[in-house]
């Protein structure tokens, strides 16, 4: 990100500095008056009062560095954000240290080069979370006075029930105490308060709107001050001082935003687009200048044509002309021969042949567009088409234009290969989806694990204190059993999380080991039979033969233990049955119960991470997710069938080569061994 931003500053300075350097010396006088600036003591980490009682923060430190280099006197005074904006608009102050760059504000103030960017965040009570902007409609909303959030709500007519607050702390207090639906405010400031204080009662959600540049603002009429600030910002960027200040105050918050790879890609695209715009503007100026001297020099005309050819070649653009009478397309292109001379070539093809090159779904629309141009119903048409005739999709941008005021049979147009651009767009969309999916998983992980880990820890701490005051050994044993049970629960929870992390990172390793399935089933029965309640019967079903397989026995034990534990947890009466069946391609294990069952709408979700049918039941909701990952890594599958209040049946199919062994033959083998 830093390298791409540095490239942008260097390029912009090389382009614009020579244009304004001379004029700055002639236009601006040398005397300097003291600048009057308000700063917000309640807007950390941008502006606040430090422990020494002095103004501090990113905006303050950056402004002081700029004024120091400009040798410009200034004076600070404290005010809240609403007073800062109102005093600036009334002409009582000379600039604003930091403000979001919005279209409405551009009409009455000038913005310096942005030193960072901000976005809006929706803070809502955890029991009534607001996850998207549209959910704010007609809600009771808190906003900071004169904030960008207030402007956005007004422009989009989200709600009329708005209360303005002077500071972010006041907004958080009112949200917690007076029943408001949401606090709509700037993200970095809320994250500062979130890191400093425990705000577990709130749900934080980044607003699904674009970020805005954040920079110094000056009055429209004071262009001199704007040029001076921008020039100093260039110097700070070139020296690395601007990046140093950004990392000092805001670097810690970058981890919660968009990943660096996406930022770098976006900044790179922006730099390329900016360079292309500047290049096209420069080229257009040259072409216009050459056109003015068209009849004075034939050589200038050739140079201009050659420059145009280079641009078309760089952009993969192929121009053509279409004769509406003969229905012929003439494609023009240049080629370099052995003598390094550019020669113009033309190729004439029938329109129908050209159209048939593209995918069938585009053939009819293309014929319609060309017919409308021919009949004068349209002057231009511009659309994207694609073709897979070469074995992979190739995307084209097609543009056609005809002057209907002139009676001409020739229509001009171009076709451009935009495959690389389309691939980049698809990659960006995929990267955005991955980032959003990762953010959702992170939020779910933190929310679930903080709750699940806290529960056994509270029990361990509480009963440890009670055990110190226990008077009898029986009471100590009871407390010790509770502590041990919660220790085991906490250990299993952490083990499941580590297993899930290893499996998703690709570190799972299945160690095959030969064993008898019936003996494995007996071990399961001996382990779980004492654990079921007295109203539930544990039933084990084995065939009349034994089965000899090679598989990771520990992982299979983990899978079956999870299924039996879940059945035991949700079955209070009836029976729990488990067993296996042999198939030619593998072996099928099953666990069925007569418990509460699973509703149909939840059956496809229970194998996802942190999904639980009953939120009050113990467990983090990752056991079945781990089972699914283990089974799928072995090439098998897991499924469930269930009805509410009738029970559930889980089936696990593992591909292997089962070897059926008769029980008498097995006993003989044991005697021999």
């Amino acid at each position: 990100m830093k390298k791409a931003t540095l490239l942008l500053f260097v390029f912009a300075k090389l382009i614009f500095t020579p244009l304004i350097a001379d004029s700055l010396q002639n236009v601006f006088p040398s005397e300097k008056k003291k600048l009057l600036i308000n700063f917000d003591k309640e807007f950390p980490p941008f502006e606040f009062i430090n422990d020494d009682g002095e103004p501090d923060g990113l905006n303050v430190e950056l402004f002081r560095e700029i004024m120091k280099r400009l040798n410009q006197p200034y004076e600070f005074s404290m005010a809240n954000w609403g007073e800062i904006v109102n005093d600036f608009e009334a002409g009582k102050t000379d600039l604003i240290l930091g403000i979001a760059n919005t279209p409405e504000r551009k009409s009455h103030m000038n913005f310096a080069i942005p030193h960072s960017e901000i976005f809006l965040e929706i803070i809502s009570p955890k029991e009534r979370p607001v996850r998207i902007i549209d959910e704010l409609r007609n809600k009771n909303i808190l906003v900071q006075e004169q904030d960008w959030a207030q402007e956005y709500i007004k422009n989009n007519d989200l709600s009329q029930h708005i209360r303005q607050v002077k500071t972010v702390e006041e907004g958080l207090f009112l949200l917690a105490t007076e029943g408001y639906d949401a606090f709509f405010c700037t993200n970095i400031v809320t994250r500062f308060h979130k890191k400093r204080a425990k705000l577990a009662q709130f749900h934080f959600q980044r607003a699904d709107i674009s970020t805005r540049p954040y920079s110094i603002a000056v009055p429209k009429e004071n262009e001199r001050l704007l040029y001076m600030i921008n020039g100093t910002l260039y110097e700070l960027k070139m020296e690395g001082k601007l990046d140093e200040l950004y990392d000092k105050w805001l670097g810690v918050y970058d981890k919660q935003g968009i990943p660096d790879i996406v930022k770098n890609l976006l900044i790179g695209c922006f730099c390329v687009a900016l360079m292309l715009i500047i290049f096209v503007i420069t080229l257009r100026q040259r072409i216009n200048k050459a056109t003015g001297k068209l009849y004075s020099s034939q050589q200038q005309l050739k140079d201009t044509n050659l420059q145009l050819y280079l641009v078309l070649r760089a952009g993969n653009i192929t121009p053509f002309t279409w004769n509406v009478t003969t229905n012929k397309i003439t494609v023009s292109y240049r080629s370099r021969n052995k003598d390094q001379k550019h020669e113009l070539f033309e190729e004439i093809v029938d329109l129908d042949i050209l159209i048939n090159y593209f995918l069938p779904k585009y053939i009819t629309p293309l014929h319609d567009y060309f017919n409308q141009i021919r009949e004068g119903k349209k002057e231009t048409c511009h659309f994207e088409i694609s073709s897979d005739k070469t074995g992979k999709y190739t995307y084209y941008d097609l543009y056609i234009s005809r002057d209907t005021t002139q009676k001409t049979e020739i229509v001009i147009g171009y076709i451009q290969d935009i495959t690389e651009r389309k691939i980049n767009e698809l990659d960006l969309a995929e990267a955005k989806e991955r980032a959003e999916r990762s953010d959702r998983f992170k939020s779910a992980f933190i929310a679930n694990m903080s709750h699940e880990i806290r529960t056994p820890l509270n029990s361990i701490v509480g009963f440890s204190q009670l055990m110190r005051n226990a008077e009898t050994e029986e009471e100590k044993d009871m407390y010790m059993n509770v502590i041990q049970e919660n220790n085991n629960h906490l250990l299993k929870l952490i083990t499941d999380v580590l297993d899930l992390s290893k499996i998703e990172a690709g570190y799972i390793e299945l160690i095959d080991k030969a064993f008898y399935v019936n003996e494995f089933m007996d071990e399961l029965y001996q382990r779980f039979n004492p654990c079921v309640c007295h109203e539930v019967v544990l039933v084990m079903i084995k065939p009349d033969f034994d089965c000899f397989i090679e598989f990771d026995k520990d992982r299979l034990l983990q899978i079956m233990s999870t299924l039996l534990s879940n059945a035991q947890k949700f079955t209070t009466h009836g029976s729990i049955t488990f067993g296996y069946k042999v198939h030619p391609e593998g072996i099928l294990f099953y666990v069925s119960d007569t418990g509460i069952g699973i509703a149909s709408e939840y059956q496809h979700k229970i194998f996802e991470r942190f999904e639980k049918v009953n939120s009050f039941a113990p467990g983090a909701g990752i056991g079945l997710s781990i089972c699914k990952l283990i089974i799928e890594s072995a090439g098998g599958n897991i499924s469930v069938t269930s009805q509410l209040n009738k029970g559930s049946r889980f089936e696990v199919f593992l591909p292997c080569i089962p070897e059926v062994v008769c029980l008498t033959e097995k006993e003989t083998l044991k005697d021999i061994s």
Side-chain angles (χ1 to χ4, degrees):
M1 175 180 179
K2 293 183 178 178
K3 292 183 179 179
T5 308
L6 179 60
L7 177 62
L8 173 60
F9 273 92
V10 172
F11 189 81
K13 187 170 184 181
L14 291 176
I15 295 298
F16 295 110
T17 301
L19 300 178
I20 65 172
D22 295 335
S23 60
L24 287 176
Q25 296 179 355
N26 298 328
V27 175
F28 303 138
S30 59
E31 62 229 19
K32 298 178 180 179
K33 70 172 186 176
K34 181 181 292 186
L35 299 180
L36 300 179
I37 301 99
N38 286 339
F39 81 96
D40 189 351
K41 68 175 182 177
E42 302 289 347
F43 201 67
F46 293 103
E47 303 170 27
F48 62 95
I49 296 294
N50 61 22
D51 295 337
D52 298 328
E54 296 293 329
D56 207 349
L58 173 61
N59 293 345
V60 174
E61 190 170 350
L62 176 61
F63 177 75
R64 283 174 171 165
E65 183 66 25
I66 294 173
M67 295 298 101
K68 177 181 177 182
R69 296 190 178 215
L70 295 177
N71 194 23
Q72 172 67 49
Y74 60 90
E75 180 180 343
F76 278 139
S77 62
M78 290 189 298
N80 61 52
W81 178 243
E83 294 172 343
I84 290 175
V85 176
N86 292 333
D87 288 351
F88 177 79
E89 293 178 348
K92 297 180 181 180
T93 56
D94 294 297
L95 58 78
I96 298 178
L97 295 178
I99 187 170
N101 187 336
T102 65
E104 288 78 2
R105 291 170 174 169
K106 285 183 179 178
S107 61
H108 55 278
M109 63 180 71
N110 283 332
F111 293 91
I113 297 171
H115 57 76
S116 56
E117 62 180 20
I118 60 175
F119 57 81
L120 295 178
E121 191 158 38
I122 306 171
I123 308 176
S124 56
K126 182 161 289 187
E127 65 273 10
R128 293 179 284 112
V130 177
R131 292 183 172 85
I132 59 175
I133 284 288
D134 197 55
E135 292 181 5
L136 293 175
R137 195 168 301 280
N138 298 324
K139 295 288 183 67
N140 293 320
I141 307 172
L142 294 165
V143 296
Q144 189 176 10
E145 183 181 2
Q146 292 287 2
D147 191 37
W148 167 34
Q150 178 184 1
E151 182 180 303
Y152 182 87
I153 292 176
K154 178 181 178 182
N155 292 341
N156 293 272
D157 195 22
L158 286 177
S159 177
Q160 300 297 326
H161 311 294
I162 302 174
R163 177 172 176 179
Q164 300 182 31
V165 297
K166 295 185 180 300
T167 66
V168 173
E169 285 194 73
E170 180 185 355
L172 293 173
F173 175 77
L174 293 177
L175 182 64
T177 59
E178 297 194 9
Y180 284 90
D181 295 308
F183 182 25
F184 197 33
C185 56
T186 303
N187 67 305
I188 299 296
V189 181
T190 58
R191 290 184 180 180
F192 177 89
H193 288 285
K194 185 177 180 182
K195 289 177 66 68
R196 188 181 64 177
K198 294 182 178 180
L199 303 177
Q201 72 272 34
F202 295 139
H203 172 78
F204 293 83
Q205 179 66 51
R206 173 173 175 170
D208 48 340
I209 58 178
S210 302
T211 60
R212 301 301 305 176
Y214 186 75
S215 56
I216 298 172
V218 301
K220 275 284 186 181
E221 62 274 8
N222 200 346
E223 293 187 359
R224 172 180 177 270
L225 182 58
L226 178 66
Y227 288 136
M228 294 170 63
I229 291 174
N230 279 341
T232 308
L233 284 171
Y234 283 134
E235 295 177 1
L236 293 173
K237 184 62 185 180
M238 294 291 292
E239 297 170 6
K241 183 67 175 179
L242 189 59
D243 290 336
E244 179 183 335
L245 292 176
Y246 182 91
D247 291 339
K248 173 183 177 181
W249 293 102
L250 302 182
V252 67
Y253 303 105
D254 281 345
K255 297 179 180 179
Q256 303 179 19
I258 302 175
D260 289 341
I261 184 172
V262 179
K263 288 185 178 180
N264 293 341
L265 189 57
L266 291 175
I267 292 174
C269 293
F270 174 78
C271 293
V272 173
L274 179 62
M275 288 187 288
L276 285 175
I277 291 172
I278 296 173
F279 180 71
V280 171
I281 292 174
T282 305
L283 180 62
R284 181 176 295 176
Q285 292 174 348
R286 292 182 180 180
I287 293 176
N288 291 337
K289 185 176 181 180
T291 304
K293 301 178 181 180
L294 178 63
Y295 299 102
S296 63
S297 175
Q298 184 67 26
Q299 185 59 41
Q300 289 182 356
L301 178 60
K302 291 181 179 180
D303 293 341
T304 302
N305 288 336
L306 179 58
Q307 291 174 353
L308 181 59
Y309 154 73
L310 294 175
V311 173
L312 295 177
R313 183 177 179 181
N316 289 325
I317 299 173
T318 302
F320 64 85
T321 58
W322 172 41
N323 190 310
V324 298
T325 302
T326 62
N327 212 30
K328 299 292 184 180
I329 295 286
T330 302
V331 181
S332 301
Y333 61 93
R334 286 181 178 268
S335 178
R336 185 185 293 273
N337 59 19
K338 296 181 180 179
D339 298 329
Q340 301 296 310
K341 294 181 180 179
H342 292 278
E343 296 183 1
L344 182 64
F345 290 88
E346 291 185 349
E347 184 175 349
I348 301 175
V349 295
D350 189 77
L351 176 63
D352 294 331
I353 296 176
L354 179 64
I355 291 177
N356 289 332
Y357 174 77
F358 301 103
L359 293 176
K361 65 179 181 179
Y362 296 110
I363 293 178
T364 300
L366 282 172
H367 278 295
D368 292 340
Y369 277 119
F370 276 98
N371 288 335
Q372 290 176 8
I373 293 289
R374 179 189 287 110
E375 296 169 2
K377 296 180 180 179
K378 280 191 174 184
E379 294 185 3
T380 62
C381 64
H382 185 197
F383 49 88
E384 294 181 359
I385 51 181
S386 60
S387 172
D388 64 347
K389 298 296 181 66
T390 59
K392 62 179 180 179
Y393 279 101
T394 306
Y395 298 90
Y396 297 97
D397 189 6
L398 178 64
Y399 178 83
I400 309 170
S401 177
R402 183 183 187 184
D403 188 356
T404 56
T405 61
Q406 302 292 331
K407 294 183 179 180
T408 176
E409 297 179 347
I410 303 300
V411 176
I412 61 174
Y414 72 80
I415 185 168
Q416 180 183 12
D417 187 344
I418 59 171
T419 303
E420 184 176 355
R421 188 183 76 191
K422 292 294 292 186
I423 292 175
N424 290 337
E425 291 176 359
L426 295 174
D427 291 343
L428 279 174
E430 183 181 354
K432 178 177 179 293
E433 176 62 24
R434 287 198 303 269
E436 292 175 348
R437 186 166 57 249
S438 175
D439 186 65
R440 290 194 298 269
F441 169 71
K442 178 187 68 177
S443 300
F445 177 82
I446 294 175
N448 282 277
M449 293 310 300
S450 62
H451 170 74
E452 294 297 334
I453 292 177
R454 190 184 301 115
T455 300
L457 282 177
N458 288 339
S459 298
I460 294 171
V461 173
F463 282 98
S464 297
Q465 294 174 349
L466 290 174
M467 191 170 66
R468 295 175 59 186
N469 301 323
E471 297 179 354
T472 64
E473 291 299 325
E474 290 79 6
E475 190 176 357
K476 288 184 179 180
D477 290 341
M478 182 181 66
Y479 293 154
M480 182 61 71
N481 291 335
V482 175
I483 293 173
Q484 185 61 40
E485 182 180 348
N486 282 276
N487 280 337
N488 294 336
H489 177 64
L490 183 60
L491 179 61
K492 183 180 183 303
L493 182 63
I494 295 175
T495 302
D496 286 347
V497 172
L498 293 176
D499 275 349
L500 183 62
S501 301
K502 289 180 180 180
I503 294 171
E504 290 191 337
Y507 292 115
I508 182 173
E509 181 180 1
L510 297 177
I511 302 175
D512 291 340
K513 180 181 179 181
F515 61 92
Y516 287 101
V517 179
N518 282 4
E519 294 178 359
F520 170 77
M521 300 293 284
D522 291 336
E523 292 177 11
L524 284 174
Y525 184 83
Q526 293 173 3
R527 173 180 294 190
F528 282 92
N529 188 45
C531 300
V532 298
C533 64
H534 65 279
E535 296 182 2
V536 179
V537 178
L538 182 63
V539 179
M540 176 179 63
I541 299 178
K542 298 186 295 185
D544 296 334
F545 52 84
D546 203 345
C547 186
F548 189 75
I549 64 172
E550 287 190 4
F551 195 74
D552 193 322
K553 184 178 179 181
D554 293 334
R555 289 297 185 182
L556 182 57
L557 179 62
Q558 180 181 0
I559 294 168
M560 294 299 293
S561 296
T562 300
L563 298 180
L564 287 170
S565 296
N566 288 344
Q568 173 191 342
K569 190 186 306 179
F570 297 108
T571 305
T572 58
H573 63 276
S575 63
I576 299 174
T577 304
F578 70 101
Y580 72 94
K581 297 179 181 179
V582 176
H583 291 265
E585 297 83 11
I587 188 168
L588 178 71
F589 292 91
Y590 60 88
V591 176
S592 61
D593 61 67
T594 58
I596 62 175
I598 305 170
S600 57
E601 61 268 22
Y602 288 105
Q603 291 181 16
H604 68 286
K605 294 182 178 180
I606 59 173
F607 296 108
E608 298 179 5
R609 291 166 292 188
F610 308 113
E611 288 289 345
K612 299 197 297 184
V613 177
N614 184 356
S615 58
F616 296 99
I622 58 178
L624 288 177
S625 176
I626 294 174
C627 290
K628 182 180 179 183
L629 291 172
I630 294 173
I631 294 167
E632 290 181 349
S633 66
N637 60 76
I638 183 171
S639 61
V640 60
T641 55
S642 180
Q643 291 184 1
L644 280 176
N645 302 320
K646 291 186 178 181
S648 306
R649 178 183 175 90
F650 287 84
E651 294 185 351
V652 176
F653 179 78
L654 298 175
C656 59
I657 304 177
E659 182 179 346
V660 176
V661 180
C662 295
L663 296 180
T664 55
E665 181 181 349
K666 178 182 175 183
E667 293 298 329
T668 303
L669 292 175
K670 286 186 176 181
D671 294 338
I672 295 175
S673 60

